[in-house]
Amino acid sequence: MELESEPLGYLLRSEPAFAILEALQDGRPQPPLSVRRSLDLHPQTFKEAVDHLNDFALLSLMVPPGSRPRRTAHGVAIPLVLRITGEGQEVLELAEGVRKFIQEQAHRRGRHLPAATLERWLPA
Amino acid sequence: MISPPVLLVIGPSWWAKGFDPHLPKEIQEGLPKWWTRRGNPLPAPVDVRAYLADVLRQEHHPATLMEAEGSRRTEEMDTKFFVELIEKLPAGGFFAFWPKGASPAGLLWEFPLIVERSGKPPVTSETVHLFPQEGVGDWNKDTGFFEFHDKAYRTTYHKDLTRAGFQIWKWSEYIGLVEKVRRVARSHPPKVK
């Protein structure tokens, strides 16, 4: 299985996806725009990451109770919030553990590792 | 009779005339043995729903669809039968399959009936999962709203369900849909009573 098609591998590879799940980690559903703005992500980067996380069922697009639909030029629009799923919590915790382990090891073995690896895992 | 709580897979039954949904071989040849295929030569949306119900069963969710639970004769009886069914089945939840190329009329008829059931137990965003195919709708990165792309849809159809809340799992290809249904099922393990 390719890394991209497996949730943990994807989460370790994608900084925006990791940041989005971390922002939702407390379980509180949040509107997409406030998550995007708090992380200062480009709209397209944010959308791709959210869609990927939703594909893996790590994050759900939820219509919160009490919402009201409205008409738009394209059809019907419904407000959304993003919420981390139980599986999302599990995979995020695992990814945080892997990242922590890699960072510790990178500190220890620093000068023997490729510069690109250090740059990726030990950002200044 | 299936043991509670049951997931009901709802959605359209037939493709629009001449529409080819490009169903993968896995679905065309993998319909469950407990189901009598309705579409010919292509599996119909109702057959795809049976396939998805089977995927849910593989993930230990008791799942079914209205068409597998008995027979009706007239349109009027459809409503009565569906209402009786959702009253009878303890709510495990509803998975709504919403593909391109099929009339959503049935689905839009089912939504208010499902919400009407509230109270035994209530329909919430935890129990209703909508699976629209790309093209039926998408969320807008600039507004943060989910938009259903059909000017013919009236907000009145969505009002009750929207007020109750639900979850959206968008998909593009059928293989992706099957995998997504499986993942959502795993992410929402059956509640044991």
Side-chain angles (χ1 to χ4, degrees):
Chain A
M1 179 174 272
E2 289 176 27
L3 208 56
E4 191 70 18
S5 64
E6 182 275 311
L8 178 62
Y10 169 67
L11 210 52
L12 289 169
R13 261 190 91 246
S14 170
E15 283 290 333
F18 195 94
I20 292 165
L21 270 201
E22 272 195 321
L24 299 169
Q25 195 169 18
D26 65 5
R28 196 166 43 93
Q30 295 181 54
L33 293 192
S34 58
V35 176
R36 176 170 73 74
R37 285 174 185 148
S38 72
L39 299 173
D40 196 22
L41 290 173
H42 185 277
Q44 192 56 35
T45 305
F46 179 72
K47 183 166 181 4
E48 283 170 10
V50 167
D51 282 344
H52 241 100
L53 290 167
N54 183 254
D55 280 340
F56 286 127
L58 302 182
L59 164 158
S60 75
L61 302 174
M62 200 170 90
V63 176
S67 301
R68 292 176 70 86
R70 70 180 195 202
R71 276 169 178 265
T72 71
H74 309 292
V76 177
I78 294 176
L80 285 179
V81 289
L82 306 179
R83 192 179 65 171
I84 192 168
T85 62
E87 206 161 273
Q89 290 277 13
E90 296 289 335
V91 176
L92 177 62
E93 281 173 25
L94 190 54
E96 283 174 336
V98 172
R99 277 170 73 123
K100 198 174 164 202
F101 174 79
I102 293 174
Q103 282 170 349
E104 285 168 1
Q105 292 295 312
H107 268 301
R108 275 185 51 205
R109 303 161 193 251
R111 62 199 171 95
H112 302 296
L113 292 172
T117 301
L118 290 173
E119 197 178 314
R120 168 71 176 81
W121 294 100
L122 293 177
Chain B
M1 194 65 199
I2 293 169
S3 302
V6 176
L7 280 177
L8 199 59
V9 183
I10 60 175
S13 293
W14 304 102
W15 303 117
K17 200 175 174 186
F19 181 78
D20 183 351
H22 302 291
L23 294 173
K25 210 172 172 183
E26 285 86 338
I27 293 180
Q28 296 214 34
E29 296 174 5
L31 294 178
K33 290 191 170 50
W34 52 264
W35 174 251
T36 308
R37 177 177 170 148
R38 311 288 165 92
N40 190 27
L42 281 176
V46 64
D47 297 318
V48 178
R49 284 193 283 126
Y51 185 91
L52 297 177
D54 204 54
V55 167
L56 291 167
R57 289 183 184 190
Q58 288 162 26
E59 297 300 325
H60 314 293
H61 283 272
T64 190
L65 54 160
M66 180 173 85
E67 293 83 348
E69 293 294 310
S71 57
R72 299 95 51 223
R73 289 195 188 122
T74 66
E75 200 59 36
E76 192 182 355
M77 283 184 72
D78 267 356
T79 304
K80 189 166 178 280
F81 184 81
F82 186 69
V83 169
E84 283 174 2
L85 187 68
I86 58 181
E87 292 289 335
K88 193 171 64 181
L89 296 177
F94 301 89
F95 273 45
F97 166 56
W98 194 335
K100 283 188 296 190
S103 166
L107 200 52
L108 299 175
W109 162 79
E110 285 162 330
F111 284 162
L113 295 175
I114 287 169
V115 176
E116 198 53 38
R117 180 184 191 276
S118 61
K120 29 164 90 181
V123 165
T124 69
S125 51
E126 302 303 316
T127 54
V128 180
H129 300 269
L130 189 65
F131 291 81
Q133 189 173 15
E134 215 167 77
V136 167
D138 197 358
W139 70 279
N140 184 316
K141 64 184 190 312
D142 298 316
T143 64
F145 277 53
F146 195 91
E147 293 175 350
F148 290 93
H149 299 151
D150 190 333
K151 289 181 184 174
Y153 293 169
R154 291 183 294 169
T155 52
T156 44
Y157 286 124
H158 299 274
K159 256 184 196 163
D160 288 346
L161 187 65
T162 304
R163 210 168 288 141
F166 57 95
Q167 294 184 59
I168 298 175
W169 307 94
K170 191 179 61 112
W171 55 283
S172 52
E173 304 297 328
Y174 276 85
I175 287 298
L177 167 68
V178 173
E179 191 51 36
K180 200 155 192 172
V181 165
R182 205 181 287 285
R183 283 178 170 148
V184 173
R186 284 180 188 165
S187 188
H188 296 74
K191 292 188 179 85
V192 180
K193 288 200 168 177

